[in-house]
Structure formats: C-alpha cells, structure tokens
Amino acid sequence: MNRLKENRATSFAFVAFVYILATLVGVLVYRANHFDWWLSLLVADVAATVVTFIFSLLCKNASVYDPYWSVQPPVILVAFAAGEKLSVFGVLLITVVSFWAIRLTANWAYTFGNLMHQDWRYTMLREKTGAFYPVINFVGIHMVPTLVVYGCILPGVYAIRVGLSANVGSVLLLCLSLGAALMQGVADIQMHQFRRKRDTAFIRRGLWRYSRHPNYLGEILMWWGVGLSVVVAAPHAWYLAAGALANTVLFLAVSIPMAEKRQSRKVGFDAYKKQTRMLLPIKK
C-alpha cells in the first residue's frame, strides 16, 4: 500500500476515484429520499463525506478529504442547474464559484505530493488527541467543513432553484467574490515563491506585507459575497447568510489560531505580529 501511496500519479488516481464514487453516492442518496430539497441535499452531502472518510481511513491519510472543500460547491451548483432554464444571476453564480473552485483545486494539485504526506494540522491533532482521534477525524476534519461549505453554497442553490434575478447589489457582491478569489490566487503564488527561496522567517512580500493571512481573508470574502448577493436579491431569505458567518467563525476560531500557534515557534514572531495585521490591513 505504501508503495502505491508514494507514487504521485497513483495517488492522484486514487483521490479522483474516491471523489467520483462520492459524487455518485451523493446523487443516488439525493434521488432516493423525499425530504425538502435543502434537507435532501444535506443528507446527500453527508453521505458523500462518509464515503471520503472511509477511504481516508483505508489510506490512513485524512488529507484525502482536502479537495472536498473546493470540489463540492461547483458539483452541487451544476447538478441543480442541469435541465433548468438559468437566469443571468444563476449563470453568474456558477461562473464565479467555478472560477474559485478551479483555482483552489489547481493550487491543491500543485502542492500535492502523494498520499504519504498528510496536512500538518491533522498529524498534530492525531498526536494530541490519541485514542479520540477517530472521532476528531470524522467530526472535526471531515464533517464540520462539509457542513460549513454546505451552508456557503446553499444561497447559490436557492437562487438557481427559484430562478432568482440579480440586482445591482447582487452583481457588485459577486464582483467582490471574484476579486476575493483572485486575491487568493495572487497570495498563493506569492507564498509558493517565498517557499522556494526561504530567505526570511516570515513572508512580507506582496499581499502578505499587509496581512498575515490574505488567503484566508479571500476565502471569507468569497462566501460573504456569494451569500449576500442572494440576500440582497431576496431579503426575506436573510438566513442564507448563515453559511458565510459559519465560515468566518471557522477561520477565526480554528484555522487562523492553529496557523498562528505554529508560526509563533519562530524567532521574531511577536515583532512580525505587531507589524502585520491578521486579516485586514487597517491600522490600529
């Protein structure tokens, strides 16, 4: 098994197989139940995540789940758009989300070595939680992100299902999402360049000069743009912004603190922290 995991091409093929199977299971589960569309989608999404989780156990690598964050949203939107007469708003939503997804998935593929490598955060959690790691793995690493991204994409699905029309505010907010995805792309490229050189302890070039986490800032803004673009077109559906809020909480309460704690081990972190804002480059 390890010999197969060490091969990059084989690892890619394995992950691709897992996601094709997870998608098929999700579609079958969605069609098999008769709940309201949003609940049927939730059940199908959970089922697809369980498939991914099972294969991550077989592979002994939780990073099998990593692409799920960016693969799930466009698959769901396209599935709901199939056979529908899309409004201009629906087309714009699919376009923006697909751009974000392709870019983020491409970044994952670029950094993906093989299935012998696991995200440092998962390894840290395994070492810290010991016998409780299987539960943390299923709930924290797999299910919580799935539920968060489900909440983020729900406004887009709603807009497509009801044939919602955009207004000026909706278009401007989708432009915010597009800009956020572009910002993430620039931040990732700058980080890759920094990692090749490693001439300083902390990256202070480009967007990283103004924010310690411009990639996370882009992710937060991306989903606020999508969620609010639907809410301003359908104010009665204000609750659809809950996904963007949950996404923000996830980054502020989990992702950023974990990254900061790891960075804090480096000499000079306190000075770096004082000189560079966490997210928004706004002076105190």
Side-chain angles (χ1 to χ4, degrees):
M1 182 66 174
N2 284 345
R3 292 180 65 181
L4 294 175
K5 289 166 62 176
E6 288 172 355
N7 184 283
R8 191 168 189 264
T10 303
S11 295
F12 262 123
F14 178 84
V15 173
F17 167 77
V18 171
Y19 280 79
I20 291 171
L21 180 61
T23 300
L24 291 175
V25 169
V27 171
L28 290 174
V29 169
Y30 181 84
R31 291 182 174 179
N33 64 68
H34 303 287
F35 304 124
D36 288 341
W37 67 269
W38 63 269
L39 184 54
S40 295
L41 175 58
L42 177 59
V43 173
D45 206 358
V46 168
T49 301
V50 169
V51 171
T52 309
F53 173 69
I54 290 172
F55 278 95
S56 74
L57 291 180
L58 293 174
C59 195
K60 296 181 180 179
N61 190 330
S63 281
V64 170
Y65 178 79
D66 285 351
Y68 200 94
W69 184 280
S70 58
V71 170
Q72 178 229 46
V75 169
I76 290 176
L77 284 187
V78 171
F80 273 90
E84 297 287 337
K85 186 177 180 180
L86 290 177
S87 65
V88 174
F89 193 17
V91 173
L92 289 175
L93 279 165
I94 292 175
T95 300
V96 171
V97 171
S98 295
F99 174 80
W100 163 86
I102 291 170
R103 192 219 61 79
L104 190 55
T105 306
N107 185 67
W108 165 82
Y110 177 78
T111 58
F112 180 78
N114 55 48
L115 286 173
M116 292 297 292
H117 171 75
Q118 179 174 255
D119 190 293
W120 65 268
R121 291 167 294 187
Y122 309 157
T123 301
M124 180 193 71
L125 287 172
R126 183 179 61 196
E127 293 171 350
K128 284 190 172 183
T129 58
F132 294 99
Y133 178 67
V135 176
I136 298 299
N137 186 8
F138 178 70
V139 177
I141 295 176
H142 286 77
M143 200 54 62
V144 169
T146 286
L147 295 177
V148 169
V149 183
Y150 163 82
C152 287
I153 202 61
L154 206 59
V157 179
Y158 172 84
I160 288 173
R161 279 188 56 85
V162 303
L164 197 63
S165 297
N167 54 31
V168 175
S170 300
V171 174
L172 291 175
L173 284 161
L174 284 183
C175 287
L176 170 66
S177 293
L178 184 60
L182 287 168
M183 181 173 70
Q184 284 182 290
V186 172
D188 284 341
I189 290 172
Q190 291 171 347
M191 176 58 76
H192 296 321
Q193 293 171 341
F194 168 74
R195 286 174 174 169
R196 284 195 292 268
K197 295 181 178 179
R198 293 283 185 182
D199 51 352
T200 58
F202 305 99
I203 177 172
R204 302 193 185 199
R205 303 187 185 109
L207 295 173
W208 300 85
R209 178 182 177 184
Y210 307 100
S211 171
R212 299 198 299 274
H213 306 281
N215 50 345
Y216 291 164
L217 174 60
E219 191 68 18
I220 291 170
L221 293 176
M222 164 69 192
W223 293 113
W224 276 113
V226 170
L228 292 180
S229 72
V230 175
V231 171
V232 299
H236 62 278
W238 56 268
Y239 51 85
L240 291 174
L245 178 61
N247 181 62
T248 303
V249 171
L250 179 64
F251 278 99
L252 294 179
V254 181
S255 300
I256 292 176
M258 288 180 73
E260 298 259 290
K261 185 176 181 180
R262 193 184 194 209
Q263 289 284 77
S264 67
R265 301 171 186 169
K266 298 179 181 179
V267 176
F269 177 74
D270 289 338
Y272 166 67
K273 189 175 181 179
K274 289 179 181 178
Q275 296 166 2
T276 311
R277 300 288 297 194
M278 183 177 74
L279 288 176
L280 295 173
I282 301 174
K283 294 183 179 180
K284 295 180 181 180

